[in-house]
Amino acid sequence: MKTLSLLFLALCVNFSIAQVTLIPQGATWKYDDNGSDLGSSWKDAGYNDGSWSSGPAQLGYGDGDEATTLSYGWLSSLKHPCYYFRHNFNFTGSTNGYNSIKMQLLRDDGAVVYLNGMEVARSNMPAGNISYGTFAEDNTGDENAFRTYYA
């Protein structure tokens, strides 16, 4: 069984042909890789992630192409089932005329993406409530391919 991990690398707002990049590839992310169940409050905008580690994307382990290597715990055959990632950004312009948010997601094996506490994308994860122990549906697919989602 492989672990659930999220490597969310770009968040863009689209307007016709104009595009504003809010989180560029290679951005520094806050992450929690200690193997604890953080419940559901970690995804809320006001959550205090001040004690979390941080590092540039790509975040992960095992492939050798990571900019930030995550801990999988003390036993390689019993890796953490979940990793938490956060990136704060501010959009100070007017939202008039913007019709969607385009997200490019790099993940292995599954991910759920939240914006201000609301789910906006799900990739290779089962339907329904997601918790710390929820595993990806399978571990197939190209973990080096960006997947595009709109919200």
Side-chain angles (χ1 to χ4, degrees), residues 68-88:
T68 301
T69 302
L70 301 175
S71 171
Y72 53 76
W74 60 276
L75 187 59
S76 64
S77 63
L78 188 61
K79 295 178 175 75
H80 304 318
C82 181
Y83 293 84
Y84 303 94
F85 301 89
R86 292 174 55 92
H87 187 92
N88 291 319

Side-chain angles (χ1 to χ4, degrees), residues 2 107-109 124 138-145 147:
K2 291 185 89 176
R107 57 94 176 140
D108 175 18
D109 293 315
N124 199 35
D138 58 54
N139 61 0
T140 60
D142 185 356
E143 62 192 48
N144 295 307
R147 292 153 178 88

Side-chain angles (χ1 to χ4, degrees), residues 125-147:
M125 295 296 292
N129 292 330
I130 299 295
S131 68
Y132 175 80
T134 305
F135 286 94
E137 291 182 324
D138 58 54
N139 61 0
T140 60
D142 185 356
E143 62 192 48
N144 295 307
F146 282 90
R147 292 153 178 88

